[in-house]
Amino acid sequence: DSSLGKYIAIKHDNGIVSYYYSVCDISVNIGDIVDKYVNIATTDNSSECDGLMGYHLHFELKKAAPE
């Protein structure tokens, strides 16, 4: 959803995809393997990331589409 600004999608081994919307500076690249506790992005309290004010993050889990 482009109204939520920049986002990251992480595909997990269990067939789930986690989405992190309204992020600003993304710290990972497409194809990176991401471990637990790794900083993947930042947010800020301005409207620069997605037009909304205050620190926030939109998080969503979806079942991955079959390949």
Side-chain angles (χ1 to χ4, degrees):
D1 185 344
S2 63
S3 69
L4 296 174
K6 293 181 189 177
Y7 72 94
I8 297 171
I10 297 177
K11 185 177 179 183
H12 301 272
D13 292 336
N14 63 0
I16 299 293
V17 180
S18 56
Y19 293 89
Y20 305 83
Y21 297 97
S22 300
V23 298
C24 292
D25 297 317
I26 297 175
S27 306
V28 293
N29 296 301
I30 294 172
D32 282 356
I33 296 174
V34 179
D35 291 322
K36 287 191 281 186
Y37 311 114
V38 170
N39 181 0
I40 58 173
T42 61
T43 63
D44 72 15
N45 66 350
S46 73
S47 61
E48 292 182 28
C49 297
D50 66 358
L52 301 173
M53 295 295 288
Y55 287 103
H56 66 280
L57 174 76
H58 300 270
F59 175 73
E60 185 174 329
L61 293 173
K62 290 185 179 180
K63 186 174 182 181
E67 294 182 10

